[in-house]
Amino acid sequence: MKICVLMKQVPDKDAALKINATGLGIDTSDLTFVTNESDSYALEEALLLKEAHGGEVVVCTLGADSSLQVVKDALSKGADRGLFLRDDAFDNLDILSLSKVFAAALKDENLDLIFSGLQSDDVGNGQLGLLIAEHLNTSHASLVMETEMVGDSVIKAKRELESGWFQWTELDFPASLTIQSGINTPRYASLRGIMMMKKKTIDTKSAEDLGLNLTPQTSTTKMYIPEKTKETVYVDGTTDEIVSKLVDIFANDIKVL
Amino acid sequence: MKILVYIQRDGDSIGRNSIEALAGAQKFAAELSGEVMAVCLDSSLTEKLTGYNISEVITVSHDGLNTYSPLHFTAAMEQVIADVSANVVVFGHTYQVRDWAPRLSARLNAPFISDCVDADGSTGLTGIRQVYQGKINTNISAEGLVLMSFQSGAFRADSVETGSAAARTMDVDLSSVPATIRPGERFKESKGGVDLTRAEVVVSVGRGIGKEENIPLVKDLKESLGAELGSSRPVVDYGWLPHERQIGSSGQVVTPKMYLAVGISGAIQHQVGMKGSDNIVAINKDPNAPIFEIADYGVVADLFEILPKLSQSIKDYKS
């Protein structure tokens, strides 16, 4: 079984963000970057399947040079090989165009499964795994909460629906699954894993390597800090003052005491 | 400009997100001198739809569409879009739509501007999306055919214009759709789970609580208020509280008299589940947390200092 896990480096959730000079992106100079949360769960699910059924886990990312860290971390946790899609030409591509880069890079890998986090914590399109499924003509399931192999070439995925509903879906290989956070407990890299990582292969591919010449299919016309839609009453002061003001608001304004 | 709205069924009625999307489509059609059409893959909704201000209601009825199947829905919509020569296809941003609209986007080579909170119809149709966990907004436009989905609450369902629409049925050919995806029956997991939707006061806890050992601080507060306990997704993912406490797009949607958010940053997925509350009170140490954008009352402070004293003061007040 050959599984590819798509992973992305994103700004830390607690990072304070500023719009950059172009007005169309964020200032990344002082940001701390981390692996996208749901992607870590996707990697863990792939490693668990590999341990139970054998096979190979390839980890693939696309991004700036710093994104290589995501691949290295995944290799340290037990992924077998890295694929790094790196080209300045990818910088301004929208998700549909980016999905074509991934499809071009993965089409000859003979993958059985493609796992990705259900959405990124930065732009949050929540589309990549499904776009690739269509390009590569695979089956798919989104918002996956649990997986179970059925024989050698079918996987069952428990999907999360709205309002507490769930559904099991059977998927023929090859299949692309977008993984929900919370599905497992992602492991930490062991010291041995970190040592082994250094001997593993990471292939870097550019647009030219992939025979691609893509232009964005959407344009970002504006990026801005949203205006507040509500007038918020800020309660401030010392801790004791805040507490007494809150009790007063609960009792006399909202009337829940 | 032809705007085609996808109508999703919810039980026996039209899904609320679909009505909201329809209201949005009507608004942009007016601004852009366009025309609104609606499509449903289910004949039970046709009559209801003809009561709205829509130029044409298209009903697709096919055995392959009786239950949700992503490949069948994608193939059917591909044929409808070609038939009506739509310029924009509008969806409510539901979990079902998330599961097949991206496929449609790739098949049609038409960008999908997903999960918009609004759109600007002043010069063409520009989708407005929240990015970076709701901290930043971005405007996205595209040339040619475009798909757009709108988050719950982006438009008001009660602003939808009524009227009388022509209806027609359309046949689709689904004979070449492969059976590689086989969805099973839907089911609910927790029997006798907690119903947070009836609570008058909800105290809800997020990632800011730091660790499982700190959860009792919030439990004390909810007991002093006689409230129900809710949580954001990470707290459930970490196993600190059970899923039945989760509020948001994948949990329950609540509209209590007071929603007290403790250590919750307020990502879009959480806001969907609580922004209709009468009064939102947020305690968070990060002044830039998106929760403050929708809070009626905000406290920028360390919850570990506030909570113990607040619980005690409420108890004192009540006695």
Side-chain angles (χ1 to χ4, degrees), chain B residues 197-244:
Chain B
T197 63
R198 290 165 195 278
E200 185 171 81
V201 181
V202 174
V203 173
S204 203
V205 56
R207 208 157 45 94
I209 197 68
K211 53 184 176 183
E212 188 170 9
E213 291 71 29
N214 294 332
I215 294 283
L217 281 178
V218 190
K219 286 191 171 164
D220 278 352
L221 179 59
K222 75 105 188 168
E223 265 155 36
S224 71
L225 281 163
E228 278 286 359
L229 182 63
S231 86
S232 67
R233 169 140 217 139
V235 171
V236 171
D237 284 348
Y238 302 150
W240 300 344
L241 284 174
H243 179 261
E244 63 192 21

Side-chain angles (χ1 to χ4, degrees), chain A residues 11-19 24-26 37 41 94-96 99-100 118-128 130-143 145-146 154 158-173 180-184 217-236 238-240 242-244 246-247 249-257, chain B residues 8 17 68 70-71 74 93-96 98-107 109-115 126 128-143 178-190 200-201 207 221 224-225 233-234 237-238 243 246 249-252 257-258 260 269 275 277-281 283 286-288 292-301 305-306 309-310 313-314 317-318:
Chain A
D12 187 272
K13 278 184 185 174
D14 295 327
L17 300 173
K18 281 182 288 196
I19 307 292
L24 299 173
I26 58 158
E37 189 168 5
Y41 291 96
D94 59 292
I95 193 64
L96 179 56
S99 71
K100 295 173 186 175
L118 84 160
Q119 74 181 50
S120 62
D121 294 331
D122 52 4
V123 285
N125 287 300
Q127 299 185 36
L128 184 63
L130 273 65
L131 292 168
I132 295 171
E134 179 63 21
H135 293 311
L136 299 181
N137 198 24
T138 75
S139 64
H140 81 263
S142 62
L143 293 125
M145 293 296 294
E146 198 176 331
V154 172
K158 182 178 161 189
R159 298 188 52 235
E160 183 177 320
L161 311 176
E162 276 140 336
S163 313
W165 289 90
F166 295 90
Q167 176 180 49
W168 281 97
T169 297
E170 259 187 19
L171 306 170
D172 287 347
F173 278 12
Q180 176 64 283
S181 296
I183 174 171
N184 50 39
Q217 293 178 266
T218 67
S219 27
T220 301
T221 52
K222 207 169 150 188
M223 196 175 259
Y224 50 101
I225 308 287
E227 280 173 37
K228 283 174 66 79
T229 50
K230 250 189 191 175
E231 194 73 33
T232 305
V233 176
Y234 283 95
V235 181
D236 50 19
T238 64
T239 299
D240 287 334
I242 290 172
V243 165
S244 101
L246 279 175
V247 173
I249 289 165
F250 294 169
N252 300 314
D253 296 335
I254 308 180
K255 299 188 169 64
V256 286
L257 290 185
Chain B
Q8 185 179 335
N17 282 23
Y68 171 65
L71 294 176
T74 304
H93 192 72
T94 62
Y95 276 23
Q96 189 218 77
R98 290 178 65 158
D99 191 55
W100 64 279
R103 258 202 116 111
L104 184 65
S105 163
R107 189 166 304 178
N109 195 28
F112 176 32
I113 306 173
S114 56
D115 204 9
T126 300
I128 302 174
R129 304 186 66 243
Q130 292 185 322
V131 290
Y132 298 98
Q133 309 282 306
K135 291 178 189 169
I136 288 177
N137 278 11
T138 178
N139 291 15
I140 311 279
S141 64
E143 303 281 321
T180 51
I181 304 177
R182 297 176 292 278
E185 291 291 315
R186 291 167 12 122
F187 62 94
K188 284 218 175 186
E189 195 114 277
S190 45
E200 185 171 81
V201 181
R207 208 157 45 94
L221 179 59
S224 71
L225 281 163
R233 169 140 217 139
D237 284 348
Y238 302 150
H243 179 261
Q246 190 176 317
S249 55
S250 49
Q252 301 188 47
K257 195 167 173 187
M258 178 167 90
L260 177 50
Q269 295 81 0
K275 65 184 172 191
S277 305
D278 293 347
N279 291 281
I280 296 168
V281 184
I283 304 176
D286 175 8
N288 298 314
F292 289 121
E293 278 154 36
I294 57 163
D296 300 280
Y297 299 92
V299 180
V300 181
E305 285 179 18
I306 303 286
K309 288 190 173 178
L310 183 58
S313 294
I314 292 168
Y317 178 90
K318 281 187 163 179

Side-chain angles (χ1 to χ4, degrees), chain A:
Chain A
M1 182 158 49
K2 190 168 172 189
I3 311 173
C4 181
V5 185
L6 311 179
M7 303 184 74
K8 186 179 191 184
Q9 191 179 56
V10 296
D12 187 272
K13 278 184 185 174
D14 295 327
L17 300 173
K18 281 182 288 196
I19 307 292
N20 68 19
T22 69
L24 299 173
I26 58 158
D27 182 351
T28 55
S29 52
D30 292 324
L31 286 184
T32 310
F33 287 92
V34 295
T35 298
N36 187 52
E37 189 168 5
S38 54
D39 298 352
S40 297
Y41 291 96
L43 172 67
E44 181 64 28
E45 198 65 12
L47 294 173
L48 291 171
L49 276 180
K50 177 189 136 176
E51 283 158 8
H53 303 279
E56 181 188 2
V57 173
V58 180
V59 58
C60 177
T61 195
L62 180 153
D65 288 334
S66 64
S67 309
L68 198 56
Q69 191 59 44
V70 170
V71 176
K72 288 181 176 171
D73 289 347
L75 295 176
S76 302
K77 289 181 179 186
D80 301 287
R81 186 162 66 86
L83 192 51
F84 183 33
L85 309 178
R86 174 78 193 97
D87 199 313
D88 290 344
F90 300 152
D91 285 354
N92 294 314
L93 294 183
D94 59 292
I95 193 64
L96 179 56
S97 314
L98 285 173
S99 71
K100 295 173 186 175
V101 178
F102 280 95
L106 302 181
K107 69 176 168 30
D108 298 323
E109 288 278 347
N110 292 313
L111 296 168
D112 297 306
L113 294 169
I114 299 167
F115 283 3
S116 50
L118 84 160
Q119 74 181 50
S120 62
D121 294 331
D122 52 4
V123 285
N125 287 300
Q127 299 185 36
L128 184 63
L130 273 65
L131 292 168
I132 295 171
E134 179 63 21
H135 293 311
L136 299 181
N137 198 24
T138 75
S139 64
H140 81 263
S142 62
L143 293 125
V144 171
M145 293 296 294
E146 198 176 331
T147 66
E148 192 185 307
M149 285 296 297
V150 182
D152 294 335
S153 58
V154 172
I155 189 166
K156 271 172 72 176
K158 182 178 161 189
R159 298 188 52 235
E160 183 177 320
L161 311 176
E162 276 140 336
S163 313
W165 289 90
F166 295 90
Q167 176 180 49
W168 281 97
T169 297
E170 259 187 19
L171 306 170
D172 287 347
F173 278 12
S176 174
L177 282 72
T178 77
I179 304 292
Q180 176 64 283
S181 296
I183 174 171
N184 50 39
T185 308
R187 71 193 63 190
Y188 292 98
S190 65
L191 193 59
R192 183 165 168 272
I194 295 167
M195 297 307 292
M196 303 254 292
M197 177 268 289
K198 292 172 183 162
K199 293 179 190 146
K200 292 177 179 171
T201 311
I202 302 174
D203 295 319
T204 302
K205 303 232 165 153
S206 67
E208 194 185 341
D209 295 335
L210 296 169
L212 293 171
N213 181 18
L214 295 166
T215 49
Q217 293 178 266
T218 67
S219 27
T220 301
T221 52
K222 207 169 150 188
M223 196 175 259
Y224 50 101
I225 308 287
E227 280 173 37
K228 283 174 66 79
T229 50
K230 250 189 191 175
E231 194 73 33
T232 305
V233 176
Y234 283 95
V235 181
D236 50 19
T238 64
T239 299
D240 287 334
E241 284 164 0
I242 290 172
V243 165
S244 101
K245 286 180 195 170
L246 279 175
V247 173
D248 182 57
I249 289 165
F250 294 169
N252 300 314
D253 296 335
I254 308 180
K255 299 188 169 64
V256 286
L257 290 185

Side-chain angles (χ1 to χ4, degrees), chain B residues 16-203:
Chain B
R16 190 183 173 81
N17 282 23
S18 295
I19 295 285
E20 291 175 0
L22 176 59
Q26 288 174 332
K27 180 180 157 209
F28 301 120
E31 288 175 34
L32 296 158
S33 330
E35 173 189 0
V36 177
M37 292 173 292
V39 55
C40 61
L41 308 181
D42 186 321
S43 56
S44 69
L45 301 177
T46 312
E47 207 182 309
K48 290 191 178 99
L49 283 168
T50 53
Y52 292 111
N53 183 16
I54 301 171
S55 69
E56 189 175 43
V57 175
I58 297 154
T59 306
V60 181
S61 188
H62 189 292
D63 285 347
L65 304 170
N66 289 345
T67 55
Y68 171 65
S69 161
L71 294 176
H72 290 81
F73 275 43
T74 304
M77 275 298 278
E78 181 189 8
Q79 293 170 48
V80 174
I81 292 166
D83 185 88
V84 305
S85 309
N87 303 102
V88 182
V89 186
V90 170
F91 304 83
H93 192 72
T94 62
Y95 276 23
Q96 189 218 77
V97 164
R98 290 178 65 158
D99 191 55
W100 64 279
R103 258 202 116 111
L104 184 65
S105 163
R107 189 166 304 178
L108 299 169
N109 195 28
F112 176 32
I113 306 173
S114 56
D115 204 9
C116 298
V117 291
D118 199 353
D120 178 359
S122 54
T123 51
L125 198 51
T126 300
I128 302 174
R129 304 186 66 243
Q130 292 185 322
V131 290
Y132 298 98
Q133 309 282 306
K135 291 178 189 169
I136 288 177
N137 278 11
T138 178
N139 291 15
I140 311 279
S141 64
E143 303 281 321
L145 175 62
V146 62
L147 317 182
M148 268 186 185
S149 68
F150 288 98
Q151 195 188 104
S152 156
F155 305 103
R156 293 183 60 93
D158 58 14
S159 71
V160 71
E161 296 164 29
T162 54
S164 101
R168 72 164 160 128
T169 53
M170 200 186 124
D171 290 325
V172 291
D173 178 5
L174 304 179
S175 58
S176 57
V177 177
T180 51
I181 304 177
R182 297 176 292 278
E185 291 291 315
R186 291 167 12 122
F187 62 94
K188 284 218 175 186
E189 195 114 277
S190 45
K191 293 188 192 97
V194 186
D195 183 6
L196 300 175
T197 63
R198 290 165 195 278
E200 185 171 81
V201 181
V202 174
V203 173

